[in-house]
Amino acid sequence: MGEIVLARIDDRLIHGQVMTAWLQFTGGNHIVIVDDATAGDEFTKSIMSMAVPNGIKLSILGVTDGAALLKEIPGNEKVIVLAKEPQTYWQLIENGVSFEEIIIGGMGSRKDRKTFYKNISATDEEKETFRKIVASGVKMKIHVIPDQGSHAIDNLL
């Protein structure tokens, strides 16, 4: 059985920070993006695939297919899971995917979001989803890049 070495919430999914810092830090060799909209957008999928270094496998799936893949990770894979929203992780958990920890890396400002912690913003619904995830036994923290400190969200809720 393989392992999930990073589960990260980030609006941008794949970007320089993930590709350089987190990929090196975790030793990941398979990136799994779980996002229904991205999975259905061939243009975005092709752009994402161009951002992934050679030798790193990329899967872009909706929630149902993503859950199925993550429950059957091959033994030689170190998986980085990326999703845009906490609700996606809650759906994965409800579909039987286990996570020890989920980090919040990039949830930027939007009309419907308020500042949650420094440059991280969240809606009331997203904060409620954080509570459900934490109540299910999964640790959650804000951790933007590996060489900076992290901050558990328990006290922010």
Side-chain angles (χ1 to χ4, degrees), residues 35-50 58 60-62:
D35 184 70
D36 289 331
T38 304
D41 183 339
E42 292 304 318
F43 177 73
T44 301
K45 284 174 26 177
S46 69
I47 297 295
M48 295 277 178
S49 69
M50 287 186 249
L58 174 66
I60 303 173
L61 305 163

Side-chain angles (χ1 to χ4, degrees), residues 8-13 35 83-89 103-130 140:
R8 178 180 168 92
I9 299 169
D10 195 317
D11 294 339
R12 301 160 293 181
L13 297 173
D35 184 70
K84 291 181 179 181
E85 301 175 331
Q87 291 88 330
T88 301
Y89 280 101
I103 68 168
I104 302 165
M107 292 178 65
S109 273
R110 291 192 322 218
K111 240 180 353 183
D112 59 338
R113 285 181 173 166
K114 296 177 188 149
T115 300
F116 180 62
Y117 179 80
K118 295 187 179 179
N119 62 341
I120 305 293
S121 299
T123 66
D124 290 339
E125 180 186 4
E126 289 169 330
K127 287 190 268 186
E128 183 56 35
T129 303
F130 293 156
M140 289 195 78

Side-chain angles (χ1 to χ4, degrees), residues 93-104:
I93 291 166
E94 288 184 312
N95 278 285
V97 179
S98 296
F99 297 97
E100 285 184 33
E101 178 179 79
I102 298 170
I103 68 168
I104 302 165

Side-chain angles (χ1 to χ4, degrees), residues 58-69:
L58 174 66
S59 300
I60 303 173
L61 305 163
V63 172
T64 303
D65 292 337
L69 174 71

